[in-house]
Amino acid sequence: MRRVRRRRHHSGFTGHQDSVITLTETECAVPNAGSSRTGRKQRGSRWPVLLGLLALCYAVAALGGLASTDAGDTYNALDRPAWAPPGWLFGPVWTVLYGTIAVAAWLVLRNPHGPTRTAMTWWSVQLLLNLAWTPLFFTAGEYGLAFLDICLLLAALLTTMVLFARHCGTAALLLVPYALWVTFASALNLAIWLSHT
């Protein structure tokens, strides 16, 4: 935490007056990549890191899509519970969620409070488990194994959120919609598995 102390002098009828203003850095603030007003050069831009993380997350989405080219037809043919969402909803939801997954990791890497290796390892684990679910469920039709995978994914994601919170609260909050969606998907996976056994 950076503290800046500024002393102000005031002369008048009340005499000499001092005031101290304390400024603190906002959590997860993103500093400018260029020079500050004082002329001191700040750290180089990390936008390429964000672009790399976005590319990685959307590559996982693309690989999942390749592994389940007929996912829409397969999903519509399943014996689903009445509360199952329509198939068209999954694409837009995952498009947004993969973006938040990438931005959350970027915030942690940009504003580390100590080593980030453990947090990013768990982030990578949940992403790999995310990648494994689609071929297990749609390509192999292994609903039981897919349910095990998504439970492990949820556990890895919750661990990631706890570790991210130590570095940047905003990063952990960005993963909340993802965690809620995975929880819902887990329940849907279980219902479909039970109806097909």
Side-chain angles (χ1 to χ4, degrees):
M1 180 182 294
R2 183 181 62 191
R3 293 186 179 273
V4 179
R5 296 175 65 85
R6 186 174 64 192
R7 188 172 296 276
R8 186 174 59 202
H9 301 280
H10 175 71
S11 59
F13 294 108
T14 58
H16 185 72
Q17 178 182 347
D18 290 336
S19 64
V20 177
I21 300 173
T22 303
L23 304 175
T24 58
E25 287 184 346
T26 304
E27 182 187 22
C28 301
V30 180
N32 290 327
S35 300
S36 66
R37 275 192 269 181
T38 60
R40 186 174 65 183
K41 190 168 184 178
Q42 305 210 13
R43 290 183 296 180
S45 174
R46 291 190 182 175
W47 292 112
V49 175
L50 175 59
L51 294 177
L53 291 167
L54 286 168
L56 176 62
C57 289
Y58 286 114
V60 168
L63 288 172
L66 290 174
S68 58
T69 53
D70 60 345
D73 294 335
T74 302
Y75 180 76
N76 290 329
L78 290 171
D79 184 11
R80 293 168 289 151
W83 46 269
W88 61 263
L89 183 62
F90 290 92
V93 169
W94 278 113
T95 299
V96 174
L97 292 180
Y98 279 120
T100 62
I101 294 167
V103 172
W106 179 67
L107 287 175
V108 168
L109 291 174
R110 189 167 180 90
N111 302 278
H113 293 277
T116 59
R117 177 176 295 180
T118 302
M120 291 307 298
T121 297
W122 279 103
W123 181 86
S124 302
V125 168
Q126 65 80 26
L127 201 60
L128 288 172
L129 290 167
N130 183 310
L131 175 62
W133 184 86
T134 302
L136 283 173
F137 189 91
F138 287 107
T139 306
E142 294 289 345
Y143 306 130
L145 287 177
F147 179 67
L148 173 61
D149 176 85
I150 203 169
C151 288
L152 293 174
L153 164 58
L154 185 57
L157 175 56
L158 293 176
T159 303
T160 301
M161 291 171 68
V162 170
L163 294 172
F164 273 22
R166 297 176 184 174
H167 296 276
C168 174
T170 304
L173 288 175
L174 275 174
L175 295 177
V176 170
Y178 178 32
L180 293 174
W181 183 256
V182 170
T183 301
F184 174 76
S186 301
L188 181 58
N189 188 155
L190 177 60
I192 292 173
W193 178 32
L194 292 176
S195 68
H196 287 80
T197 53

